[in-house]
Structures are given as structure tokens and as C-alpha cells.
Amino acid sequence: MLVDFSPPPPSLPPPAPRHWPFESVQAGAYTHDATAGPVVVRKFGQDYGYPFEPSRVLDEIAAFGDNDGVLRGTSNLIPQGFQLGFAGDEGESIVFFYWDSEEKKEYLCDLVYNLVADDRLGTFSSPLVLTIPSPPAPPPPHAPPPT
């Protein structure tokens, strides 16, 4: 039996903290749930983030109650994009936010979903696309005052 006296390998850095921690989800307070996945994001008309940019593994998607703002579910990564489960009451409006880990910014996606018990949004052949709408156009410049 050989004993290895070499120093242990350096430890890996701890995983980065999540923007929306799983522990913050208030799922137990609701009567129903639904799932979404695969989910991909389109920002300003372009495919964006993970999985289109594989290094963007810290980006996240979260579901919130539209009326109360309570976190209902957070995403996991799968090779095809994101997946998430979320909870709520039948017919309740759910909104989705995208966390851009490079910009350190939350974006409200344009989907407002009315919860249907045990529903599934997205399939592997037709992923759910969450769209970040284009920002509004800047106002026109003010005309110079007449002289």
C-alpha cells in the first residue's frame, strides 16, 4: 500500500452566489405549480445569453407573482437553455425576469402567464422564448428656440 504524502490539490472556489437564491422561493404557500423548459431569451430581437453564449452560466430566470411581487421559482441550466418550476394559484398572473450577470441588471420579460395547474411551457422541439423588449426610443431633440 502506497501512501500519498503530496499536498492536497488547491480547493475549488465556492460557487458564485445566486442572484435569486432557491431558498427565497415561497412555493409552499401556493396550491399549484407549473414548469417551463427549455427556456431561451431574446433581447432586443436577438438570441441572447445562455445557451447561445455558453460562458453565461451565471445568468438566471425567475418567476414572480405579478400582483404581490413574491418570488415563485428560479431557473436551472440545461444544455438547451434554462428550466424552472414555479408555484402560484390557479389563474394567477406570473411574470418573468432575466438576470444578466455581466451587466448586473434585471430585465422584465414581456410574458405575463396566467397559471394553469401542472402546465408545461416550452418543449425541446419548441422552447419557450422570453423576450426582453427593446428600450423605448429616445425623445426627439428639442427644437432650438426661435430667434
Side-chain angles (χ1 to χ4, degrees):
M1 176 175 181
L2 296 174
V3 178
D4 184 1
F5 290 104
S6 61
S11 62
L12 296 174
R18 293 182 55 87
H19 183 69
W20 292 297
F22 290 118
E23 300 79 34
S24 300
V25 175
Q26 303 290 319
Y30 303 97
T31 56
H32 299 291
D33 58 23
T35 58
V39 180
V40 295
V41 174
R42 190 160 290 136
K43 180 180 176 187
F44 309 155
Q46 302 292 316
D47 292 339
Y48 189 76
Y50 184 85
F52 308 110
E53 301 169 67
S55 64
R56 305 281 306 255
V57 296
L58 298 178
D59 292 0
E60 300 174 30
I61 295 172
F64 289 85
D66 190 28
N67 293 329
D68 61 12
V70 173
L71 180 62
R72 306 304 179 82
T74 61
S75 63
N76 291 316
L77 297 178
I78 58 175
Q80 298 82 2
F82 299 90
Q83 69 177 4
L84 70 151
F86 48 95
D89 294 322
E90 186 83 26
E92 180 179 15
S93 295
I94 304 292
V95 295
F96 299 89
F97 280 81
Y98 177 77
W99 169 247
D100 186 317
S101 62
E102 290 184 2
E103 292 183 13
K104 306 285 188 243
K105 185 174 179 180
E106 294 177 3
Y107 287 96
L108 175 63
C109 299
D110 68 353
L111 175 65
V112 178
Y113 168 72
N114 292 318
L115 193 129
V116 175
D118 302 320
D119 201 8
R120 173 155 180 106
L121 307 174
T123 65
F124 287 100
S125 60
S126 182
L128 174 65
V129 177
L130 292 179
T131 301
I132 299 168
S134 297
H142 295 291
T147 56

